[in-house]
Amino acid sequence: MTGVVGVWAGQGGGGVRLLERGAGPQGPQGPQGLVGREVELAVVRAALGAHRLVSVTGAAGVGKSRLALAAAAPEEAPWRAMVRVRWHDGVPVGPRALAGRIAQALDAAAGGYGRAGAAPDLADAVRALPDDELLLILDDVDPVHAQCAGIVQSLLMALPALRVLVTARRPLGLGDEQVVRLAPLATDPAAELLRASAEAHGVTSEPDPAAVARVCRLLEGNPLAIELAAAQLTELPADDLADRLQDGQCWLSATGPLLKRHRSWRASLGAVHALCEPGVRKAWRRLSVFAGDFTERAAVFVCEGADLSPDRVPGALAHLTAIGALERASELGSVLEPRYRMARAARDFGAERLAAAGESAAAASRHARHCRSTAAVAETLWNTGLQQQAVRLVQDELADLTALVRRGTHDPGHAETALETVLHLWFWWVAHERAREGAGHVLALLPRLPAAEWLTARGQWLAGWLTTGADPAAAQRLLDRAWPVAVLCGDDALVGRIAHVHGTLAWQRGDLPAAAAHYRHAADTVPPHASGGPTPAVSLAALAIVHSATAPARAVHTARQALAQQTGHHDTWATALAQYARALADVRAGRPGRARRRAERALAHLDARLDAPQPRAALRRLLDTLRDGAGPGPGPHPVHVPAPRTGP
């Protein structure tokens, strides 16, 4: 006998029929066949030639079944027949029922398909099989995953000529199993699949390439999601489709796919969700509050509760990663703490389940507290000399920190926590030229808070500092509102930092005596270890830059004061500004060679320890000026000021 024997098992039972080689139900990629899977196809075929058990694994809708059938199809394959068993409706069955269905398929492969009589026993079916090579394809075994492992092990031991090809979201876990993990499509093949699928649905016009790329990026290259999205192009332009997908993906559906769970993205994800244990389902929906990568510790904090103990969360993470709802965002074996990322579609589905469970508010509150705590840790790292680590932490968590701020602008209940988070990150907005972004966050949150409170005054101070370059008048108004509250609250740190921003405004308008007075006031008023803003060393460095324009010797003395501060030796940002001031003083004193060497050392020290665009740009500009043989000029230069730049 030559051909494919198929058993399609579901809630309503199953049947056996003989198919021609290469035939079978359509996979999620429909009539377009395999797109962008040439490498994976070769890998699976090579694995089948060298191993008796091969598992193709991957997330829902990634195209496992279609790849497996294509890999098993070539006429030159050594197996005499293929037996395919598939579970259509995702309904779990017991071990005996599973064995019976596999026996039914194997009996058909032995020539007994369609004959009358009792259903064959698995042992009888095995004894009846010839010694020829046989390929057993167990397709979509997730509903019977646990039972399948034992049966496959027994079959491989009983039938030396048997090969087994399994498709599932996770491996069986057997010793000789060769696992091929199927990833989503890359950018170009995903776009090709979308265009081909749209054409198959009757779309005659060519979609906009940029919109197609955006759709595929939002769908993260998942073939089933792309197929379902292509069906929407009969009603929606690609740009409008991308806009809808930005807000959610679970609504995607089509009438074409054979399997019910392939007819909508929500149903496909729901089939995965239904097979998870209750604790894993709780973790899935609670983890959907994360907008970006997260650590295991963050997951435990957000997920734990009376119904889910902390020790169960790591296991849930491992299971969600195995089934494709999560992916590792960090390299395996890295010395850094592992980070996870939830697939966009899984996050949308989890958010729906979170709302249905009535847990959205509680999860958002825990997420907000986590973000505020993360920002506080980052500020502590910055203030204790671990500034590169502080920057890396903010970069890792930026998506969730930004999500909290956006939530705070729409929900007054989160506004205070969001503003506290933004204030902890003052160094990120100031030292990394993100002033426009930071000012936008603060100004959006301030109307949500009482006008005459200490937290609001701190927000006004930071917004004023961040807008000095773009709108000095607005910055002045914000400082005027913040100063009385700071004085009434007796907050010396806030009073001093308001003075620092006044110094920056004075410098920008060319009033050097006023700038020097304000910076001196700031340096004398801010306590050395006060959190929530720059240290006195930064104000002294700024004062040294002012002095360098008219009094080089005084600038050197002030810069040394900045470097001698208790916090100066581990504040790389303040150190760079102070050394910049000393280099400027050397130029004014007629020592360009010394200025160049000092600037080069300061730049090398800065590059090795911190990504700080503003002092780096100032030092490089000074070096360029010295190489050209010119001085820095008599008047103030905006880049010399330790103030944020808002960009064009």
Side-chain angles (χ1 to χ4, degrees):
M1 183 200 70
T2 302
V4 182
V5 176
V7 174
W8 283 268
Q11 193 168 7
V16 180
R17 50 191 168 126
L18 178 64
L19 304 175
E20 294 301 323
R21 185 181 289 272
Q26 291 185 353
Q29 295 186 40
Q32 285 70 48
L34 290 173
V35 175
R37 294 300 194 194
E38 294 79 9
V39 173
E40 294 90 340
L41 184 60
V43 169
V44 175
R45 285 176 175 170
L48 282 172
H51 300 270
R52 296 181 61 206
L53 173 59
V54 177
S55 292
V56 179
T57 66
V62 81
K64 302 180 290 293
S65 299
R66 197 156 191 81
L67 179 69
L69 286 181
E75 294 292 342
E76 65 271 14
W79 40 86
R80 175 175 172 268
M82 293 188 293
V83 179
R84 184 187 184 205
V85 183
R86 185 176 203 181
W87 284 263
H88 267 195
D89 299 333
V91 179
V93 297
R96 295 188 62 182
L98 173 63
R101 288 174 182 174
I102 295 177
Q104 189 181 15
L106 294 177
D107 181 65
Y113 59 92
R115 62 189 176 192
D121 179 79
L122 183 58
D124 294 336
V126 169
R127 284 192 294 269
L129 284 171
D131 294 333
D132 296 337
E133 291 273 0
L134 176 68
L135 176 64
L136 173 62
I137 303 175
L138 299 177
D139 199 5
D140 286 344
V141 304
D142 295 284
V144 289
H145 190 275
Q147 303 93 317
C148 206
I151 293 176
V152 167
Q153 183 80 346
S154 300
L155 287 172
L156 290 173
M157 294 175 64
L159 295 170
L162 177 68
R163 298 173 191 265
V164 180
L165 177 59
V166 177
T167 69
R169 287 184 279 275
R170 54 196 175 103
L172 294 181
L174 299 179
D176 192 38
E177 183 178 20
Q178 183 73 11
V179 179
V180 179
R181 183 74 180 180
L182 195 57
L185 291 172
T187 303
D188 291 342
E192 179 186 350
L193 177 61
L194 182 65
R195 288 191 292 267
S197 301
E199 184 178 349
H201 284 288
V203 178
T204 56
S205 60
E206 180 73 14
D208 176 60
V212 167
R214 185 181 170 210
V215 168
C216 294
R217 184 172 61 253
L218 289 169
L219 297 176
E220 298 179 330
N222 187 283
L224 173 59
I226 291 172
E227 281 282 322
L228 297 174
Q232 312 304 317
L233 292 176
T234 59
E235 304 290 339
L236 289 172
D239 283 327
D240 293 346
L241 175 60
D243 290 340
R244 285 201 63 184
L245 292 174
Q246 185 73 48
D247 296 330
Q249 301 182 5
C250 291
W251 60 273
L252 286 173
S253 63
T255 58
L258 176 66
L259 295 183
K260 290 181 180 179
R261 69 174 184 272
H262 285 167
R263 294 173 191 168
S264 83
W265 207 198
R266 181 178 288 107
S268 181
L269 295 165
V272 181
H273 182 265
L275 295 176
C276 295
E277 296 179 352
V280 177
R281 297 181 195 177
K282 293 169 185 173
W284 182 340
R285 65 179 182 249
R286 293 170 188 174
L287 291 171
S288 68
V289 299
F290 286 103
D293 303 346
F294 55 88
T295 63
E296 182 179 299
R297 285 184 295 174
V300 170
F301 181 81
V302 169
C303 291
E304 69 171 317
D307 56 349
L308 186 63
S309 58
D311 61 293
R312 295 173 59 193
V313 176
L317 293 177
H319 186 87
L320 290 170
T321 303
I323 63 176
L326 292 179
E327 61 182 31
R328 288 287 294 263
S330 56
E331 295 293 333
L332 287 173
S334 171
V335 296
L336 300 177
E337 185 178 7
R339 299 187 67 86
Y340 299 87
R341 186 186 72 86
M342 181 167 281
R344 180 184 288 268
R347 186 167 67 242
D348 291 342
F349 182 84
E352 289 187 352
R353 304 309 304 167
L354 191 69
E359 298 178 350
S360 296
S365 178
R366 295 188 71 86
H367 177 260
R369 296 201 301 274
H370 160 71
C371 291
R372 179 178 58 191
S373 174
T374 299
V377 169
E379 186 188 12
T380 299
L381 290 172
W382 179 274
N383 291 337
T384 55
L386 302 175
Q387 296 183 335
Q388 194 64 48
Q389 291 88 330
V391 171
R392 187 181 301 117
L393 177 58
V394 176
Q395 290 170 336
D396 287 342
E397 302 286 344
L398 190 58
D400 282 282
L401 297 170
T402 304
L404 169 60
V405 173
R406 290 174 178 165
R407 191 187 307 139
T409 61
H410 300 293
D411 183 354
H414 291 287
E416 181 175 328
T417 304
L419 183 56
E420 290 173 346
T421 301
V422 174
L423 290 169
H424 281 306
L425 299 177
W426 65 267
F427 64 90
W428 174 254
W429 317 119
V430 172
H432 292 81
E433 296 197 326
R434 289 178 172 266
R436 176 177 295 176
E437 180 184 357
H441 290 330
V442 178
L443 293 174
L445 291 168
L446 286 177
R448 301 285 182 178
L449 296 168
E453 287 196 354
W454 173 75
L455 182 63
T456 303
R458 291 189 61 215
Q460 291 165 339
W461 155 74
L462 181 58
W465 194 9
L466 297 175
T467 55
T468 52
D471 192 346
Q476 185 66 57
R477 290 193 297 270
L478 287 164
L479 297 178
D480 290 344
R481 296 172 193 161
W483 186 82
V485 178
V487 172
L488 289 173
C489 292
D491 188 342
D492 290 342
L494 184 54
V495 169
R497 285 162 183 160
I498 292 172
H500 181 100
V501 183
H502 278 302
T504 299
L505 290 171
W507 172 268
Q508 288 180 335
R509 64 177 180 264
D511 188 348
L512 301 190
H518 286 304
Y519 284 138
R520 171 55 68 183
H521 182 203
D524 293 342
T525 306
V526 177
H529 296 285
S531 61
T535 63
V538 175
S539 298
L540 286 171
L543 177 59
I545 293 173
V546 174
H547 285 160
S548 69
T550 56
R554 194 173 181 186
V556 172
H557 176 73
T558 307
R560 288 174 176 169
Q561 279 187 309
L563 296 172
Q565 289 287 304
Q566 297 179 31
T567 56
H569 68 283
H570 59 233
D571 190 336
T572 303
W573 183 47
T575 298
L577 294 173
Q579 295 291 9
Y580 173 72
R582 294 184 69 183
L584 283 177
D586 287 333
V587 174
R588 298 294 185 190
R591 298 187 291 268
R594 178 184 292 183
R596 185 180 65 255
R597 291 190 295 273
R598 191 184 302 279
E600 288 172 346
R601 289 196 301 270
L603 187 59
H605 181 263
L606 181 65
D607 287 339
R609 299 190 62 180
L610 182 64
D611 177 20
Q614 190 184 38
R616 179 180 291 111
L619 288 164
R620 286 176 176 170
R621 182 172 300 190
L622 177 60
L623 287 170
D624 291 341
T625 301
L626 292 171
R627 292 189 187 102
D628 294 339
H637 195 289
V639 81
H640 299 173
V641 185
R645 298 178 61 198
T646 56

